[in-house]
Amino acid sequence: MNKIKLVSRFFRVLFQITFVAVPICLILYWLNAPYPLLILGNTMAIDLIPHTMPNFPLILHLSNQTKFLGFLVSLIPASLILIVCYFLIKLFRLYERNEIFSLNNIFYLRKVAAVVIASELVFLPIYQGLLSLVLTWHYPTHFVVISVNFSILLLSLLLLLISWIMAEGFKLQDEQQFTI
């Protein structure tokens, strides 16, 4: 159980750091846009503008208004990341307390899966369309880039399956407690 506690604490702290770092990185990125935000030298780069998409215009300069609108639009995926981090922090805190099979775990797993599915199918296409519009507003024709990441969608469905299996296991465990 100590290993579970230790690993759970590590991931809880990691998600807490991510929860704080996402808004900070988002602000720093848009202050520096359209150039990538380099973190720890070239170890990690954050780039929200799709420079490599076919037919997407090369953006070398952004006005302050465009940067501000880009920041506002980028709050959509950032908010989703923060919501997922919040639920994962709660989940790993339960694991730290050795609450492995509980209804709360199932609740948080389902919430993570639901947010990721909703983000892939609804919010991210809206974000990508709005960001394309904001970045190309001054061009005569607008380029809209929309994509769905099916591997993330599959992972979300897998999380739902795991939460369903855990719920069934919890029911069996609960029934066995009352069986003499």
Side-chain angles (χ1 to χ4, degrees):
M1 280 302 191
N2 278 339
K3 287 181 185 179
I4 291 174
K5 208 174 205 178
L6 188 64
V7 170
S8 298
R9 181 174 297 129
F10 171 79
F11 279 102
R12 179 185 52 81
V13 170
L14 181 68
F15 289 121
Q16 287 173 326
I17 292 169
T18 303
F19 193 87
V20 172
V22 166
I24 293 169
C25 289
L26 191 64
I27 291 167
L28 292 175
Y29 173 79
W30 283 105
L31 288 174
N32 190 50
Y35 306 105
L37 177 63
L38 300 177
I39 300 171
L40 302 173
N42 285 336
T43 307
M44 185 168 66
I46 298 172
D47 196 0
L48 302 177
I49 298 175
H51 299 286
T52 59
M53 296 298 291
N55 299 324
F56 200 87
L58 183 62
I59 298 172
L60 299 174
H61 176 72
L62 295 175
S63 69
N64 287 336
Q65 179 185 14
T66 301
K67 287 182 181 185
F68 180 70
L69 291 173
F71 170 75
L72 290 178
V73 170
S74 297
L75 288 175
I76 296 170
S79 299
L80 297 169
I81 291 168
L82 294 178
I83 291 168
V84 167
C85 283
Y86 172 78
F87 289 135
L88 289 173
I89 290 166
K90 294 286 197 179
L91 180 66
F92 282 102
R93 186 168 283 139
L94 289 173
Y95 290 156
E96 270 185 272
R97 295 181 194 146
N98 292 326
E99 291 182 43
I100 307 300
F101 298 105
S102 72
L103 288 178
N104 287 333
N105 294 25
I106 296 162
F107 172 79
Y108 291 127
L109 274 174
R110 286 182 179 167
K111 290 294 182 187
V112 168
V115 170
V116 174
I117 288 171
S119 69
E120 282 298 317
L121 294 179
V122 179
F123 295 110
L124 289 184
I126 291 170
Y127 157 73
Q128 291 169 342
L130 286 173
L131 185 62
S132 297
L133 186 65
V134 164
L135 294 175
T136 61
W137 188 255
H138 58 282
Y139 289 100
T141 57
H142 300 290
F143 300 89
V144 177
V145 179
I146 296 178
S147 66
V148 174
N149 189 336
F150 289 104
S151 59
I152 297 292
L153 196 57
L154 184 62
L155 179 64
S156 304
L157 293 173
L158 186 63
L159 283 174
L160 280 177
L161 175 65
I162 291 169
S163 70
W164 174 73
I165 291 170
M166 286 182 70
E168 292 300 314
F170 181 80
K171 286 179 192 174
L172 287 173
Q173 182 183 10
D174 199 38
E175 288 173 7
Q176 286 180 354
Q177 282 182 339
F178 297 112
T179 305
I180 298 175

